[in-house]
Amino acid sequence: MRSSEADPLKRWSSLRRFLAQPWVLGLIGVATVVLIWLLTTASGAVDKLFLPSPQAVWHAGQSQWQSGVLLKDAVASIQRVFIGFALSAGLALPVGIAMGTNPTICRLLEPLMALIRYMPAPAFIPLLIIYFGLEELPKILLIFIGTFFFNTLMIMDAVKFVPSELVETALTLGGRGLPILTRVVAPFIAPQVLDTYRINMASAWNLVIVAELVAATEGLGKRISLAQRFLRTDDIFVGLIVIGLVGLTIDLGFRFLMRKACAWAN
Amino acid sequence: MHLNVASVCKSFGYGPKAKQVLDSVSFDLHSGQFMALVGSSGSGKSTVMRLIAGLERPSSGEIRLDGQRIRGPGADRGMVFQKYSLYPWLTAAQNVAFGMRLQGRPKAEVRERTAYFLEVVGLVDSARLLPRELSGGMQQRVAIARSLAAEPKVLLLDEPFGALDLQIRESMQEFLHRLWLQTGLTALLITHDLEEALLLAQEVHIMAPRPGRIVRSVRADLDRSSLAHLRVSQPFLALREELASCLRGLDSNLTA
Ligand SMILES: Nc1ncnc2c1ncn2[C@@H]1O[C@H](COP(=O)(O)OP(=O)(O)OP(=O)(O)O)[C@@H](O)[C@H]1O
Ligand SMILES: [Mg+2]
Protein backbone atom coordinates (compact mmCIF):
# COMPACT_ATOMS: atom_id res chain seq x y z
CA MET A 1 0.00 0.00 0.00
CA ARG A 2 2.70 2.41 1.13
CA SER A 3 5.07 1.69 -1.71
CA SER A 4 2.39 2.01 -4.35
CA GLU A 5 1.60 5.42 -2.90
CA ALA A 6 5.21 6.55 -2.65
CA ASP A 7 6.16 5.51 -6.16
CA PRO A 8 4.09 7.94 -8.22
CA LEU A 9 4.95 10.61 -5.70
CA LYS A 10 8.63 10.02 -6.23
CA ARG A 11 8.20 9.95 -9.96
CA TRP A 12 6.20 13.16 -9.80
CA SER A 13 8.90 14.95 -7.84
CA SER A 14 11.67 13.82 -10.18
CA LEU A 15 9.57 15.05 -13.09
CA ARG A 16 9.21 18.36 -11.35
CA ARG A 17 12.96 18.57 -10.85
CA PHE A 18 13.47 17.82 -14.53
CA LEU A 19 11.05 20.57 -15.53
CA ALA A 20 12.79 23.00 -13.20
CA GLN A 21 15.95 22.85 -15.33
CA PRO A 22 16.14 26.25 -16.97
CA TRP A 23 16.18 25.13 -20.59
CA VAL A 24 13.72 22.21 -20.46
CA LEU A 25 10.46 24.16 -20.63
CA GLY A 26 11.91 26.46 -23.26
CA LEU A 27 12.81 23.53 -25.47
CA ILE A 28 9.38 22.03 -24.95
CA GLY A 29 7.85 25.30 -26.13
CA VAL A 30 9.95 25.35 -29.30
CA ALA A 31 9.36 21.66 -29.97
CA THR A 32 5.61 22.11 -29.62
CA VAL A 33 5.51 24.83 -32.25
CA VAL A 34 7.66 22.78 -34.65
CA LEU A 35 5.42 19.78 -34.07
CA ILE A 36 2.26 21.75 -34.80
CA TRP A 37 3.96 23.17 -37.89
CA LEU A 38 4.91 19.65 -38.99
CA LEU A 39 1.40 18.25 -38.43
CA THR A 40 -0.31 21.16 -40.14
CA THR A 41 1.78 20.87 -43.28
CA ALA A 42 1.64 17.07 -43.29
CA SER A 43 -2.15 17.12 -43.13
CA GLY A 44 -2.19 19.11 -46.35
CA ALA A 45 -4.71 21.56 -44.93
CA VAL A 46 -2.60 24.56 -45.93
CA ASP A 47 -1.23 25.42 -49.33
CA LYS A 48 2.53 24.60 -49.54
CA LEU A 49 3.09 27.98 -51.09
CA PHE A 50 1.89 29.76 -47.96
CA LEU A 51 3.32 27.45 -45.38
CA PRO A 52 6.23 25.27 -46.50
CA SER A 53 6.88 22.13 -44.49
CA PRO A 54 9.81 21.98 -42.04
CA GLN A 55 11.51 19.54 -44.39
CA ALA A 56 11.18 21.93 -47.32
CA VAL A 57 12.64 24.73 -45.24
CA TRP A 58 15.50 22.49 -44.16
CA HIS A 59 16.26 21.65 -47.76
CA ALA A 60 16.08 25.28 -48.82
CA GLY A 61 18.51 26.07 -46.03
CA GLN A 62 20.83 23.29 -47.11
CA SER A 63 20.94 24.46 -50.68
CA GLN A 64 21.51 28.08 -49.61
CA TRP A 65 24.36 26.85 -47.44
CA GLN A 66 25.91 24.74 -50.16
CA SER A 67 25.82 27.50 -52.71
CA GLY A 68 27.45 29.78 -50.15
CA VAL A 69 24.83 32.54 -50.26
CA LEU A 70 23.65 31.83 -46.72
CA LEU A 71 27.08 32.41 -45.25
CA LYS A 72 27.71 35.43 -47.44
CA ASP A 73 24.38 36.99 -46.49
CA ALA A 74 24.85 36.29 -42.81
CA VAL A 75 28.36 37.72 -42.81
CA ALA A 76 27.18 40.85 -44.64
CA SER A 77 24.36 41.46 -42.15
CA ILE A 78 26.42 40.66 -39.09
CA GLN A 79 29.20 42.94 -40.26
CA ARG A 80 26.82 45.87 -40.68
CA VAL A 81 25.31 45.29 -37.27
CA PHE A 82 28.68 45.09 -35.59
CA ILE A 83 30.17 48.17 -37.20
CA GLY A 84 27.04 50.25 -36.65
CA PHE A 85 26.53 49.05 -33.12
CA ALA A 86 30.18 49.37 -32.16
CA LEU A 87 30.10 53.02 -33.23
CA SER A 88 26.89 53.59 -31.31
CA ALA A 89 28.03 51.78 -28.17
CA GLY A 90 31.48 53.30 -28.23
CA LEU A 91 30.18 56.85 -28.52
CA ALA A 92 27.23 56.35 -26.17
CA LEU A 93 29.51 55.35 -23.32
CA PRO A 94 31.42 58.64 -22.94
CA VAL A 95 28.38 60.76 -23.81
CA GLY A 96 26.15 58.86 -21.38
CA ILE A 97 28.72 59.12 -18.62
CA ALA A 98 29.19 62.83 -19.29
CA MET A 99 25.42 63.37 -19.14
CA GLY A 100 25.08 61.29 -16.00
CA THR A 101 27.84 63.09 -14.12
CA ASN A 102 27.44 66.65 -15.36
CA PRO A 103 24.01 68.30 -14.89
CA THR A 104 24.77 71.03 -17.42
CA ILE A 105 25.57 68.59 -20.21
CA CYS A 106 22.53 66.57 -19.20
CA ARG A 107 20.17 69.55 -19.38
CA LEU A 108 21.69 70.51 -22.71
CA LEU A 109 21.39 67.14 -24.43
CA GLU A 110 18.59 65.22 -22.76
CA PRO A 111 15.60 66.99 -24.40
CA LEU A 112 17.24 66.70 -27.81
CA MET A 113 17.95 63.02 -27.38
CA ALA A 114 14.55 62.27 -25.91
CA LEU A 115 13.03 63.87 -29.00
CA ILE A 116 15.14 62.06 -31.58
CA ARG A 117 14.67 58.80 -29.72
CA TYR A 118 10.99 58.89 -30.59
CA MET A 119 11.61 59.33 -34.29
CA PRO A 120 11.41 55.83 -35.73
CA ALA A 121 14.79 55.01 -37.19
CA PRO A 122 13.41 53.41 -40.40
CA ALA A 123 11.87 56.79 -41.21
CA PHE A 124 15.43 58.04 -41.73
CA ILE A 125 16.06 55.54 -44.53
CA PRO A 126 14.89 57.82 -47.39
CA LEU A 127 17.09 60.65 -46.14
CA LEU A 128 20.05 58.37 -45.66
CA ILE A 129 19.67 57.04 -49.18
CA ILE A 130 19.49 60.57 -50.60
CA TYR A 131 22.57 61.62 -48.65
CA PHE A 132 24.72 58.53 -48.88
CA GLY A 133 23.37 56.37 -51.69
CA LEU A 134 22.96 52.64 -51.50
CA GLU A 135 26.33 51.59 -50.15
CA GLU A 136 27.26 50.38 -46.67
CA LEU A 137 27.37 53.78 -45.01
CA PRO A 138 23.61 54.49 -44.90
CA LYS A 139 22.92 51.07 -43.36
CA ILE A 140 25.56 51.51 -40.71
CA LEU A 141 24.28 55.00 -39.96
CA LEU A 142 20.74 53.68 -39.67
CA ILE A 143 21.85 51.24 -37.00
CA PHE A 144 23.74 54.03 -35.31
CA ILE A 145 20.74 56.37 -35.31
CA GLY A 146 18.42 53.64 -34.14
CA THR A 147 20.49 52.64 -31.11
CA PHE A 148 22.73 55.55 -30.12
CA PHE A 149 20.09 57.59 -28.30
CA PHE A 150 18.71 54.63 -26.39
CA ASN A 151 22.21 53.50 -25.46
CA THR A 152 23.17 56.98 -24.29
CA LEU A 153 20.08 57.65 -22.22
CA MET A 154 20.19 54.24 -20.55
CA ILE A 155 23.88 54.64 -19.69
CA MET A 156 23.13 58.10 -18.34
CA ASP A 157 20.48 56.61 -16.07
CA ALA A 158 22.87 53.95 -14.84
CA VAL A 159 25.43 56.63 -13.98
CA LYS A 160 22.83 58.69 -12.11
CA PHE A 161 22.08 55.69 -9.92
CA VAL A 162 25.65 55.30 -8.70
CA PRO A 163 25.18 55.75 -4.92
CA SER A 164 26.68 59.07 -3.85
CA GLU A 165 28.27 57.32 -0.85
CA LEU A 166 30.49 55.31 -3.17
CA VAL A 167 31.77 58.40 -4.94
CA GLU A 168 32.11 60.42 -1.74
CA THR A 169 33.99 57.61 -0.01
CA ALA A 170 36.47 57.61 -2.86
CA LEU A 171 36.81 61.39 -2.54
CA THR A 172 37.59 61.11 1.17
CA LEU A 173 40.13 58.41 0.39
CA GLY A 174 42.02 60.84 -1.77
CA GLY A 175 40.39 60.06 -5.13
CA ARG A 176 40.03 62.63 -7.92
CA GLY A 177 38.12 62.94 -11.18
CA LEU A 178 39.42 60.36 -13.62
CA PRO A 179 40.39 57.60 -11.14
CA ILE A 180 36.92 57.86 -9.61
CA LEU A 181 35.44 57.43 -13.06
CA THR A 182 37.49 54.36 -13.85
CA ARG A 183 37.50 52.73 -10.44
CA VAL A 184 34.08 53.58 -9.03
CA VAL A 185 31.64 54.66 -11.74
CA ALA A 186 32.81 52.30 -14.48
CA PRO A 187 32.72 49.06 -12.46
CA PHE A 188 29.41 50.03 -10.85
CA ILE A 189 27.63 50.64 -14.14
CA ALA A 190 29.30 47.79 -16.05
CA PRO A 191 26.44 45.29 -15.56
CA GLN A 192 23.79 47.82 -16.62
CA VAL A 193 25.85 48.91 -19.59
CA LEU A 194 26.21 45.34 -20.80
CA ASP A 195 22.49 44.80 -20.33
CA THR A 196 21.74 48.02 -22.21
CA TYR A 197 23.90 46.83 -25.09
CA ARG A 198 22.21 43.45 -25.04
CA ILE A 199 18.74 44.95 -25.24
CA ASN A 200 19.58 47.53 -27.91
CA MET A 201 21.50 45.00 -29.95
CA ALA A 202 18.12 43.47 -30.68
CA SER A 203 16.93 46.65 -32.34
CA ALA A 204 20.21 46.97 -34.25
CA TRP A 205 19.52 43.54 -35.61
CA ASN A 206 15.98 44.54 -36.57
CA LEU A 207 17.20 47.66 -38.31
CA VAL A 208 19.79 45.96 -40.47
CA ILE A 209 17.12 43.69 -41.85
CA VAL A 210 14.83 46.63 -42.53
CA ALA A 211 17.64 48.47 -44.28
CA GLU A 212 18.41 45.46 -46.44
CA LEU A 213 14.76 44.97 -47.32
CA VAL A 214 14.81 48.46 -48.79
CA ALA A 215 18.12 48.46 -50.61
CA ALA A 216 21.03 46.05 -50.62
CA THR A 217 22.92 43.66 -52.82
CA GLU A 218 23.44 41.05 -50.14
CA GLY A 219 22.37 40.28 -46.60
CA LEU A 220 19.74 38.21 -44.88
CA GLY A 221 17.10 40.90 -45.35
CA LYS A 222 17.95 41.18 -49.01
CA ARG A 223 17.52 37.41 -49.40
CA ILE A 224 14.05 37.60 -47.87
CA SER A 225 12.89 40.38 -50.15
CA LEU A 226 14.25 38.51 -53.18
CA ALA A 227 12.46 35.37 -52.07
CA GLN A 228 9.24 37.32 -51.82
CA ARG A 229 9.53 38.35 -55.44
CA PHE A 230 9.69 34.69 -56.49
CA LEU A 231 7.14 33.49 -53.92
CA ARG A 232 9.83 31.35 -52.29
CA THR A 233 8.28 31.10 -48.85
CA ASP A 234 10.73 28.37 -47.91
CA ASP A 235 13.63 30.78 -48.44
CA ILE A 236 11.79 33.39 -46.38
CA PHE A 237 11.48 30.90 -43.56
CA VAL A 238 15.18 30.09 -43.77
CA GLY A 239 15.97 33.80 -43.55
CA LEU A 240 13.69 34.34 -40.56
CA ILE A 241 15.05 31.37 -38.66
CA VAL A 242 18.68 32.29 -39.30
CA ILE A 243 18.03 35.89 -38.24
CA GLY A 244 16.44 34.64 -35.05
CA LEU A 245 19.26 32.23 -34.30
CA VAL A 246 22.00 34.80 -34.89
CA GLY A 247 20.18 37.30 -32.68
CA LEU A 248 19.73 34.73 -29.95
CA THR A 249 23.40 33.82 -30.11
CA ILE A 250 24.42 37.45 -29.68
CA ASP A 251 22.02 37.79 -26.76
CA LEU A 252 23.44 34.72 -25.08
CA GLY A 253 26.93 36.04 -25.69
CA PHE A 254 26.13 39.23 -23.79
CA ARG A 255 24.59 37.24 -20.94
CA PHE A 256 27.68 35.07 -20.78
CA LEU A 257 29.92 38.13 -20.73
CA MET A 258 27.85 39.63 -17.95
CA ARG A 259 28.03 36.50 -15.85
CA LYS A 260 31.79 36.32 -16.29
CA ALA A 261 32.61 39.99 -15.87
CA CYS A 262 30.07 41.06 -13.26
CA ALA A 263 29.66 38.06 -10.99
CA TRP A 264 29.25 40.41 -8.04
CA ALA A 265 26.00 41.79 -9.44
CA ASN A 266 24.05 38.53 -9.49
CA MET B 1 46.74 67.45 14.50
CA HIS B 2 44.29 70.21 15.22
CA LEU B 3 40.87 70.53 13.64
CA ASN B 4 39.31 73.89 14.20
CA VAL B 5 35.66 74.56 13.35
CA ALA B 6 34.99 78.27 13.78
CA SER B 7 31.52 79.89 13.65
CA VAL B 8 30.39 77.75 10.77
CA CYS B 9 26.98 78.54 9.28
CA LYS B 10 25.43 76.64 6.43
CA SER B 11 22.34 77.35 4.36
CA PHE B 12 20.99 75.33 1.50
CA GLY B 13 19.18 76.98 -1.38
CA TYR B 14 18.98 80.64 -2.36
CA GLY B 15 16.67 83.63 -1.82
CA PRO B 16 13.35 83.08 -0.11
CA LYS B 17 13.75 79.32 -0.32
CA ALA B 18 17.06 79.37 1.55
CA LYS B 19 17.10 77.16 4.59
CA GLN B 20 19.56 77.67 7.38
CA VAL B 21 20.78 74.31 8.56
CA LEU B 22 23.71 75.27 10.78
CA ASP B 23 24.08 78.33 12.95
CA SER B 24 27.53 79.25 14.21
CA VAL B 25 28.93 75.86 15.07
CA SER B 26 32.36 75.92 16.72
CA PHE B 27 34.60 73.33 18.31
CA ASP B 28 38.16 72.06 18.37
CA LEU B 29 39.41 68.54 17.98
CA HIS B 30 42.97 67.54 18.89
CA SER B 31 45.14 64.51 18.17
CA GLY B 32 44.06 61.34 19.88
CA GLN B 33 40.74 62.80 20.96
CA PHE B 34 37.43 61.02 20.52
CA MET B 35 34.56 63.44 20.16
CA ALA B 36 30.85 62.82 19.63
CA LEU B 37 28.01 64.89 18.21
CA VAL B 38 24.57 63.90 19.46
CA GLY B 39 21.25 65.33 18.40
CA SER B 40 17.84 64.54 17.05
CA SER B 41 17.23 63.91 13.39
CA GLY B 42 17.65 67.02 11.27
CA SER B 43 19.88 68.85 13.75
CA GLY B 44 22.60 69.11 11.13
CA LYS B 45 25.05 66.50 12.42
CA SER B 46 25.74 65.01 9.01
CA THR B 47 26.07 68.47 7.54
CA VAL B 48 28.82 69.29 10.06
CA MET B 49 30.60 66.13 9.06
CA ARG B 50 30.23 66.75 5.33
CA LEU B 51 31.62 70.25 5.79
CA ILE B 52 34.66 68.88 7.60
CA ALA B 53 35.09 66.21 4.93
CA GLY B 54 35.01 68.96 2.33
CA LEU B 55 31.98 67.52 0.55
CA GLU B 56 30.13 70.81 1.21
CA ARG B 57 31.34 74.38 1.66
CA PRO B 58 30.37 76.51 4.68
CA SER B 59 28.20 79.55 3.95
CA SER B 60 30.24 81.47 6.49
CA GLY B 61 32.87 80.71 9.09
CA GLU B 62 35.76 78.42 8.41
CA ILE B 63 37.19 75.01 9.09
CA ARG B 64 40.93 74.52 9.40
CA LEU B 65 43.01 71.41 9.68
CA ASP B 66 46.43 72.15 11.11
CA GLY B 67 45.96 75.76 10.15
CA GLN B 68 45.09 74.96 6.54
CA ARG B 69 41.68 76.01 5.37
CA ILE B 70 39.68 73.06 4.02
CA ARG B 71 38.95 73.47 0.31
CA GLY B 72 37.65 70.06 -0.66
CA PRO B 73 37.71 66.40 0.20
CA GLY B 74 41.05 64.77 0.87
CA ALA B 75 42.65 61.68 2.26
CA ASP B 76 43.54 63.46 5.53
CA ARG B 77 39.89 63.25 6.60
CA GLY B 78 38.53 59.73 6.33
CA MET B 79 34.79 59.15 6.40
CA VAL B 80 32.63 56.18 7.25
CA PHE B 81 28.98 56.31 6.23
CA GLN B 82 26.03 54.60 7.87
CA LYS B 83 25.72 52.06 5.06
CA TYR B 84 26.14 51.21 1.39
CA SER B 85 29.67 52.41 1.17
CA LEU B 86 31.66 49.28 0.37
CA TYR B 87 32.39 48.69 -3.30
CA PRO B 88 30.21 45.67 -4.06
CA TRP B 89 32.51 44.33 -6.80
CA LEU B 90 35.59 44.28 -4.56
CA THR B 91 36.39 41.73 -1.88
CA ALA B 92 36.87 42.79 1.73
CA ALA B 93 40.64 42.93 1.21
CA GLN B 94 40.33 44.87 -2.05
CA ASN B 95 38.01 47.32 -0.34
CA VAL B 96 40.58 47.87 2.41
CA ALA B 97 43.27 48.35 -0.23
CA PHE B 98 41.12 50.70 -2.31
CA GLY B 99 42.18 54.01 -0.79
CA MET B 100 45.85 53.09 -0.74
CA ARG B 101 45.69 52.11 -4.41
CA LEU B 102 43.99 55.42 -5.24
CA GLN B 103 46.89 57.11 -3.51
CA GLY B 104 49.25 55.14 -5.71
CA ARG B 105 51.21 53.48 -2.93
CA PRO B 106 53.66 50.71 -3.85
CA LYS B 107 52.05 47.27 -4.25
CA ALA B 108 54.06 45.60 -1.50
CA GLU B 109 53.13 48.29 0.98
CA VAL B 110 49.45 48.03 0.03
CA ARG B 111 49.52 44.28 0.53
CA GLU B 112 51.21 44.54 3.87
CA ARG B 113 48.97 47.28 5.23
CA THR B 114 45.84 45.54 3.96
CA ALA B 115 46.79 42.43 5.86
CA TYR B 116 47.57 44.50 8.94
CA PHE B 117 44.27 46.37 8.96
CA LEU B 118 42.22 43.25 8.24
CA GLU B 119 43.93 41.82 11.29
CA VAL B 120 43.16 44.93 13.33
CA VAL B 121 39.44 44.69 12.54
CA GLY B 122 39.45 40.91 12.98
CA LEU B 123 38.51 39.97 9.42
CA VAL B 124 41.51 38.01 8.18
CA ASP B 125 39.31 35.01 7.45
CA SER B 126 36.85 37.06 5.41
CA ALA B 127 39.46 38.77 3.25
CA ARG B 128 38.25 37.14 0.05
CA LEU B 129 34.52 37.60 0.59
CA LEU B 130 32.40 40.10 -1.32
CA PRO B 131 30.49 42.70 0.71
CA ARG B 132 27.15 40.99 0.16
CA GLU B 133 28.60 37.89 1.82
CA LEU B 134 29.47 39.88 4.97
CA SER B 135 27.13 40.75 7.85
CA GLY B 136 26.31 44.39 8.50
CA GLY B 137 28.78 44.60 11.37
CA MET B 138 31.56 43.06 9.31
CA GLN B 139 30.85 45.46 6.47
CA GLN B 140 31.24 48.42 8.78
CA ARG B 141 34.49 47.04 10.13
CA VAL B 142 35.79 46.75 6.57
CA ALA B 143 34.71 50.34 5.92
CA ILE B 144 36.54 51.50 9.05
CA ALA B 145 39.64 49.52 8.10
CA ARG B 146 39.54 51.03 4.62
CA SER B 147 39.44 54.54 6.04
CA LEU B 148 42.21 53.88 8.56
CA ALA B 149 44.45 52.29 5.95
CA ALA B 150 44.48 55.56 4.01
CA GLU B 151 46.04 57.18 7.10
CA PRO B 152 43.64 60.03 7.76
CA LYS B 153 44.48 62.57 10.43
CA VAL B 154 40.91 62.39 11.64
CA LEU B 155 38.26 59.72 11.20
CA LEU B 156 34.71 60.96 10.63
CA LEU B 157 32.05 58.42 11.58
CA ASP B 158 28.48 59.25 10.56
CA GLU B 159 26.23 56.92 12.56
CA PRO B 160 28.43 53.98 11.62
CA PHE B 161 26.37 51.54 13.69
CA GLY B 162 22.97 53.10 13.05
CA ALA B 163 21.81 50.27 10.81
CA LEU B 164 22.94 47.45 13.10
CA ASP B 165 20.88 45.62 15.70
CA LEU B 166 21.46 46.18 19.37
CA GLN B 167 23.76 43.27 20.17
CA ILE B 168 26.02 43.86 17.19
CA ARG B 169 26.02 47.54 18.05
CA GLU B 170 27.37 46.84 21.52
CA SER B 171 30.12 44.62 20.22
CA MET B 172 30.96 47.22 17.58
CA GLN B 173 31.22 49.86 20.30
CA GLU B 174 33.67 47.64 22.14
CA PHE B 175 35.52 47.16 18.89
CA LEU B 176 35.75 50.87 18.17
CA HIS B 177 36.89 51.58 21.71
CA ARG B 178 39.68 48.99 21.47
CA LEU B 179 40.64 50.33 18.07
CA TRP B 180 40.94 53.80 19.54
CA LEU B 181 43.15 52.53 22.37
CA GLN B 182 45.23 50.44 19.99
CA THR B 183 45.79 52.89 17.14
CA GLY B 184 45.45 56.23 18.91
CA LEU B 185 43.17 57.50 16.18
CA THR B 186 41.42 60.85 16.30
CA ALA B 187 37.70 60.49 15.75
CA LEU B 188 34.52 62.47 15.40
CA LEU B 189 31.49 60.27 15.91
CA ILE B 190 27.93 61.18 15.02
CA THR B 191 25.18 59.28 16.72
CA HIS B 192 21.56 59.41 17.84
CA ASP B 193 22.50 57.28 20.76
CA LEU B 194 23.57 59.16 23.88
CA GLU B 195 24.88 56.03 25.54
CA GLU B 196 27.10 55.27 22.57
CA ALA B 197 28.47 58.82 22.63
CA LEU B 198 29.27 58.74 26.35
CA LEU B 199 30.81 55.29 26.18
CA LEU B 200 33.29 56.25 23.50
CA ALA B 201 33.92 59.97 23.56
CA GLN B 202 35.65 62.18 26.09
CA GLU B 203 33.86 65.17 24.73
CA VAL B 204 30.20 65.23 23.71
CA HIS B 205 28.37 68.04 21.97
CA ILE B 206 24.60 68.12 22.00
CA MET B 207 23.00 69.63 18.91
CA ALA B 208 19.55 71.16 18.56
CA PRO B 209 17.67 71.52 15.27
CA ARG B 210 16.20 74.46 13.34
CA PRO B 211 18.75 75.78 12.88
CA GLY B 212 21.33 73.21 13.85
CA ARG B 213 23.57 74.43 16.65
CA ILE B 214 25.53 73.14 19.60
CA VAL B 215 23.55 73.78 22.76
CA ARG B 216 25.61 71.91 25.30
CA SER B 217 29.13 70.53 25.47
CA VAL B 218 30.35 68.21 28.18
CA ARG B 219 33.61 66.54 28.97
CA ALA B 220 33.03 62.92 29.86
CA ASP B 221 36.21 61.94 31.67
CA LEU B 222 35.10 58.51 32.75
CA ASP B 223 36.99 55.36 33.59
CA ARG B 224 36.82 53.41 30.30
CA SER B 225 38.87 50.38 31.32
CA SER B 226 35.76 48.23 30.91
CA LEU B 227 32.82 49.40 28.84
CA ALA B 228 30.57 46.77 30.40
CA HIS B 229 31.21 48.25 33.84
CA LEU B 230 31.03 51.77 32.52
CA ARG B 231 27.53 51.18 31.15
CA VAL B 232 26.17 50.59 34.65
CA SER B 233 28.49 52.83 36.66
CA GLN B 234 27.02 55.69 38.69
CA PRO B 235 28.82 58.68 37.10
CA PHE B 236 28.01 57.35 33.62
CA LEU B 237 24.32 56.92 34.41
CA ALA B 238 24.11 60.30 36.07
CA LEU B 239 25.71 62.05 33.11
CA ARG B 240 23.52 60.15 30.69
CA GLU B 241 20.37 61.12 32.55
CA GLU B 242 21.44 64.73 32.69
CA LEU B 243 22.06 64.92 28.96
CA ALA B 244 18.95 62.91 28.17
CA SER B 245 16.83 65.42 30.01
CA CYS B 246 18.61 68.17 28.10
CA LEU B 247 17.64 66.45 24.83
CA ARG B 248 14.07 65.95 26.07
CA GLY B 249 13.94 69.65 26.92
CA LEU B 250 14.81 70.44 23.31
CA ASP B 251 12.08 68.15 22.08
CA SER B 252 9.41 69.66 24.31
CA ASN B 253 10.45 73.13 23.16
CA LEU B 254 9.77 71.95 19.66
CA THR B 255 6.39 70.44 20.32
CA ALA B 256 5.28 73.30 22.57
N1 LIG C 1 21.83 69.09 0.26
C1 LIG C 1 20.83 69.56 1.02
N2 LIG C 1 19.93 70.41 0.48
C2 LIG C 1 18.93 70.91 1.24
N3 LIG C 1 18.73 70.62 2.53
C3 LIG C 1 19.60 69.79 3.12
C4 LIG C 1 20.69 69.21 2.40
N4 LIG C 1 21.39 68.42 3.24
C5 LIG C 1 20.76 68.50 4.43
N5 LIG C 1 19.68 69.32 4.36
C6 LIG C 1 18.77 69.64 5.46
O1 LIG C 1 19.56 69.99 6.57
C7 LIG C 1 18.96 69.53 7.76
C8 LIG C 1 19.99 68.78 8.56
O2 LIG C 1 20.36 67.61 7.85
P1 LIG C 1 21.45 66.60 8.40
O3 LIG C 1 21.44 65.45 7.48
O4 LIG C 1 22.71 67.31 8.61
O5 LIG C 1 20.82 66.20 9.80
P2 LIG C 1 21.25 65.02 10.77
O6 LIG C 1 21.40 65.64 12.11
O7 LIG C 1 22.41 64.30 10.21
O8 LIG C 1 19.98 64.11 10.73
P3 LIG C 1 19.89 62.52 10.83
O9 LIG C 1 20.08 62.20 12.27
O10 LIG C 1 18.50 62.22 10.36
O11 LIG C 1 20.96 61.95 9.95
C9 LIG C 1 17.77 68.68 7.36
O12 LIG C 1 16.60 69.43 7.60
C10 LIG C 1 17.98 68.45 5.91
O13 LIG C 1 16.74 68.40 5.26
MG1 LIG D 1 22.73 62.30 9.44
Side-chain angles (χ1 to χ4, degrees), chain A residues 163-176 179-180 183-185 187-188 263-266, chain B residues 50 55 73-75 77-79 81 83-89 98-99 101-103 130 132 146 150:
Chain A
S164 62
E165 286 89 348
L166 295 187
V167 173
E168 290 178 344
T169 299
L171 285 170
T172 61
L173 288 168
R176 284 279 161 276
I180 290 189
R183 286 169 188 234
V184 179
V185 177
F188 187 88
W264 61 273
N266 308 316
Chain B
R50 294 174 61 79
L55 298 170
R77 286 144 292 140
M79 185 145 174
F81 292 89
K83 51 184 176 180
Y84 306 130
S85 73
L86 292 186
Y87 298 105
W89 57 92
F98 186 82
R101 297 193 50 203
L102 271 181
Q103 296 168 356
L130 288 174
R132 61 171 173 170
R146 179 178 60 188

Side-chain angles (χ1 to χ4, degrees), chain B residues 3 23 37 46 49 67 69 77 84 130 132 140-141 146 148 154 156 198 226 232 237 248 254 256:
Chain B
L3 177 72
D23 182 22
L37 294 182
S46 297
M49 193 146 282
R69 196 172 178 155
R77 286 144 292 140
Y84 306 130
L130 288 174
R132 61 171 173 170
Q140 286 307 67
R141 279 188 279 162
R146 179 178 60 188
L148 290 179
V154 54
L156 307 169
L198 287 172
S226 154
V232 292
L237 293 174
R248 275 197 295 275
L254 287 179

Side-chain angles (χ1 to χ4, degrees), chain A residues 69-100:
Chain A
V69 284
L70 185 57
L71 192 63
K72 217 171 85 196
D73 285 338
V75 167
S77 298
I78 291 172
Q79 208 174 330
R80 287 171 188 142
V81 167
F82 270 84
I83 296 174
F85 196 79
L87 285 177
S88 151
L91 196 63
L93 192 63
V95 176
I97 289 178
M99 287 173 73

Side-chain angles (χ1 to χ4, degrees), chain B residues 45-46 158-159 190:
Chain B
K45 306 181 297 294
S46 297
D158 191 350
E159 297 191 44
I190 284 186

Side-chain angles (χ1 to χ4, degrees), chain B residues 221-251:
Chain B
D221 290 315
L222 302 163
D223 173 14
R224 293 195 168 77
S225 50
S226 154
L227 290 195
H229 285 152
L230 181 60
R231 275 179 217 277
V232 292
S233 74
Q234 203 46 54
F236 175 83
L237 293 174
L239 195 52
R240 197 181 88 175
E241 185 44 42
E242 188 191 330
L243 295 181
S245 71
C246 168
L247 277 170
R248 275 197 295 275
L250 294 172
D251 273 349

